[in-house]
Amino acid sequence: MSTTNKFLVGMFDDDQTLLKAVESAKNSGIEIAEAFTPFPVHGLEHKMGLRPTKLHTAGFVFGATGLVTAFSLMAFANAVNYPTNYGGKPTFALPAWIPIMFELTVLFSAVGMVISFYYLCNLYPGKQPKIIDPRLTDNMFALTFDISGDNEQTSKITEFLNNEGAVEVFEKDI
Amino acid sequence: MKNTYIFTPEAKGFLIKGFIVGLILLAIGIAMNWNAGVGGGDHHGHAATLRTHLIANIYTVVLYGFWIGVTALFFLSATTLALGGWHIQIQKVLLAIGGTLPFSILLLAIFFAVFNHDLFHWTHDLYDPNSATYDAILASKRDYLNMGRFWVFAIAIFVLVLGLYFLWNKNLNEMDTNPSVKLFDKSRAIAAASIFILAMLVNTFGSWDWAMSIQPHWYSTMFSWYLMASAAVGMFSILFIIVFYLKKNDYLPHVNENHQHDVAKYMFAISIFWTYVWFSQFMLIWYANIPEETIYFTKRLHGYAFMFYISLALNFILPFLALMKRDSKRKSKLVLTIAVFIIIGHWFDFFNMIVPELIEGGGGFNLISVGAFVALASVFIYIALTTLSKYKDLSSSTHPYIKESYGHHI
């Protein structure tokens, strides 16, 4: 995206300190833009108050689409459009179609969920990554706060972060 | 904090009432089928007598109960061997379900000793070429299908299963009084032996001998894991029900929706696995359409079509749709309801394996079946809860991995 926002970044070196900071930020009404961790931290999404992902529902819809696609194509081709007699076997052979229906369910839901996931994360081929700090994929944790519109927040949040045990606080334009 | 389960008189009374209701239903069923088979042969050649009805239906429930015990031990072993931690608080419940094994083994031994001619067609005089009942196909299988081999395998299975149960019981009880890493390593050794013995020997030969050989002309290479998957879902459902009951009575204070979620996940996953095996077995036979293979499904679809399809609905469609969402796996009342249906559904599945072969052409499901199931299920649960009340430390609170179980979060 072309527009850049200004963020205040607090770096932590421990996931438990980060969890505590998230909790007290919630309590004192400071709005966290995003948290960055090198590995999934248990309970972080609850403390951040994030709503559960809807990716599963999308997966179900994609899967159901695959099921219906496979069934209707086979039923149309084998039973309606071009019924062929193979040794007297029924043309509407549902049990024989189930493996293919299953395969297409899996294929559609897998591919659909990957594409949905990329869309939701705003990822696409050739995307330039916006890196807050390279250490975030290694051993550091970060909380970011959007301060583009409001300059008097900066000193308050900086103080808050220092109190919460952030090892480093800096501003970054992204 | 209560950490020893007390089998209260109310709970005992409830199960005794269940047993009596089962016996009453059984008695009504006997009265209704008193004249079954009298007057001889329907179009299949021989009609099922009251004796056959009783033996087939009781044997179904006993076999189901035995395999639930086996899968409980198997699951305990599998998670222990994989260094699982979440199940530590409920491992005593698994072991208590395994505690029904001595009872079911006793009943199975009685069936094999006294009623083997009623259950197994191949025990009749079929191998003598001069006999009127000579069966060339079965005669070619006589090296496997004979009573001597059958008993050697049966006794080996009984001894191995009981031995593993008592080893587990001893190990976990010692862990309560005197916990050590050495004991834990020992439990992993028992687990490794259990997995091999239960899955490879007990499950394979037990299901061939005791369920598949009821239809000795027919065979399926998928039968033994189909049977084990069926019992495993029943076992997870019973596990869920007992854990729910214990939670409701203020036991297991650290078991929360995360642990229940995991049990529900297993119910969901193994239900789908069961469907996979069930369908693979059905579809390959349906597709090939070879008479000697289709005979199995012919017997089930003619006369038992309702049982055949209802078991698919209860064991696949219902758990698949109801337990798919994460949120629904965490709603314990919903999972409890599904668990009851699954237990009934897999009883129907065991019924489909055994009864249509002994009572051909339908009519095998009646009040005798329901009575046998209700009465024996009460006895099995009574034994499991009695076993559970003997453990001093219900939640295994001194186990090396207990902290992992307390902090389990998914």
Side-chain angles (χ1 to χ4, degrees), chain A residues 126-143:
Chain A
K127 157 131 183 161
Q128 289 303 309
K130 295 172 180 174
I131 294 166
I132 291 183
D133 193 302
R135 287 170 295 168
L136 288 178
T137 57
D138 185 15
N139 64 337
M140 296 292 268
F141 305 80
L143 288 180

Side-chain angles (χ1 to χ4, degrees), chain B residues 203-204 207-208 212 218-227 277 280-281 284-285 293:
Chain B
N203 183 48
T204 307
S207 58
W208 288 354
M212 201 165 79
W218 179 85
Y219 58 89
S220 157
T221 46
M222 273 175 249
F223 195 82
S224 56
W225 45 312
Y226 156 59
L227 187 142
V277 188
S280 300
Q281 184 171 286
L284 291 175
I285 290 175
E293 289 177 353

